[in-house]
């Protein structure tokens, strides 16, 4: 069921989406999304809090280190459904929905380990919890994407500004992004093509 409180007749109720929707071949859609995520310095994962059910902000698998003793891992154990959001300084964004697994396999932790993790976990001075690759507090959150929606900028800053100004004057939705959606079926196809 979707929410709607407007009857727009034969005109699109969301002209921005209609004007910016872009649906290239699957390989380009997934490739552009991966390229964008790799260019982002930060991403934010949203989980559901077990006690309240509220969301907490804090062919595509994403891997992140975690402190297995954090509240985030408790949230994921009670409800593995998540959303990852990425945003860059130009307003490009990606939203990826999926499920998360907490992996504590030492081989995987060592494979993706970075010494900078010590800055986040600290050395407890007991010879075991030192922030190193064998620290049992270090795990990996593996996110299996189910759907993705993202927008990458179309044209230069000046041309996007022109589109916004034009839309303000004419009432036509600005064409400033390549707005793309990747369905669960497309992600499955991408995995089987690899």
């Amino acid at each position: 069921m979707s929410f709607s409180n407007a009857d727009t007749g034969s005109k699109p109720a969301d002209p921005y989406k209609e004007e910016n929707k872009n649906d290239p071949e699957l390989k380009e859609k997934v490739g552009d999304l991966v390229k964008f995520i790799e260019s982002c310095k930060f991403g934010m994962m949203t989980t559901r809090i077990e006690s309240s059910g509220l969301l907490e902000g804090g062919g595509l698998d994403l891997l992140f280190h975690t402190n297995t003793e954090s509240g985030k891992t408790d949230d994921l154990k009670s409800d593995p459904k998540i959303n990852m959001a990425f945003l860059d300084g130009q307003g490009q964004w990606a939203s990826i929905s999926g499920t998360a697994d907490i992996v504590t396999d030492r081989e995987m932790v060592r494979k993706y380990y970075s010494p900078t993790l010590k800055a986040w976990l600290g050395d407890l001075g007991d010879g075991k919890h030192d922030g190193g690759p064998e620290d049992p507090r270090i795990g990996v959150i593996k996110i299996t994407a189910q759907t993705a929606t993202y927008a990458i900028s179309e044209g230069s800053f000046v041309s996007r500004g022109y589109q916004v100004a034009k839309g303000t004057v004419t009432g036509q939705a600005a064409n400033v992004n390549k707005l793309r959606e990747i369905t669960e079926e497309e992600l499955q196809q991408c995995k089987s093509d690899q």
Side-chain angles (χ1 to χ4, degrees):
M1 174 182 276
S2 67
F3 174 84
S4 177
N5 66 343
D7 180 3
T8 60
S10 63
K11 296 185 179 187
D14 187 351
Y16 166 80
K17 182 175 181 179
E18 195 71 26
E19 185 68 30
N20 290 277
K21 190 149 173 96
N22 179 271
D23 196 22
E25 293 294 318
L26 179 58
K27 187 173 182 174
E28 181 181 344
K29 284 200 298 192
V30 172
D32 284 350
L33 176 60
V34 169
K35 182 178 171 184
F36 172 70
I37 290 170
E38 289 175 346
S39 75
C40 287
K41 188 170 184 174
F42 301 103
M44 180 178 285
M45 178 174 42
T46 305
T47 60
R48 195 178 309 271
I49 301 170
E50 179 180 19
S51 61
S52 66
L54 297 174
L55 290 176
E56 175 184 88
L60 193 64
D61 290 342
L62 306 172
L63 302 174
F64 300 90
H65 288 103
T66 189
N67 179 343
T68 60
E69 305 307 305
S70 72
K72 186 70 59 190
T73 55
D74 293 339
D75 296 344
L76 290 172
K77 186 174 182 191
S78 71
D79 188 346
K81 295 179 181 106
I82 60 90
N83 179 271
M84 276 297 301
F86 297 89
L87 177 67
D88 72 8
Q90 298 172 342
Q92 300 179 113
W93 57 269
S95 175
I96 300 166
S97 296
T99 57
D101 289 313
I102 304 162
V103 181
T104 56
D105 175 69
R106 296 299 359 133
E107 188 175 320
M108 181 179 259
V109 170
R110 282 191 294 275
K111 180 177 180 179
Y112 296 105
Y113 178 79
S114 169
T116 58
L117 289 169
K118 288 182 180 185
W120 302 108
L121 287 133
D123 185 342
L124 301 183
D126 62 3
K128 182 176 184 178
H129 302 95
D130 60 1
E134 302 306 318
D135 187 325
R137 297 175 296 166
I138 299 175
V140 174
I141 296 175
K142 178 183 177 187
I143 297 172
T144 302
Q146 292 175 321
T147 63
T149 303
Y150 68 101
I152 51 179
S153 295
E154 178 123 293
S156 68
F157 178 76
V158 173
S159 68
R160 292 192 310 270
Y162 169 77
Q163 285 289 324
V164 170
K166 177 181 155 190
T168 301
V169 172
T170 66
Q172 180 182 355
N175 183 358
V176 295
N177 291 318
K178 293 178 182 175
L179 185 60
R180 298 176 176 171
E181 296 176 355
I182 304 175
T183 65
E184 189 168 8
E185 293 78 22
E186 288 175 318
L187 286 169
Q188 289 300 323
Q189 179 185 339
C190 182
K191 284 183 181 183
S192 65
D193 290 348
Q194 292 178 355

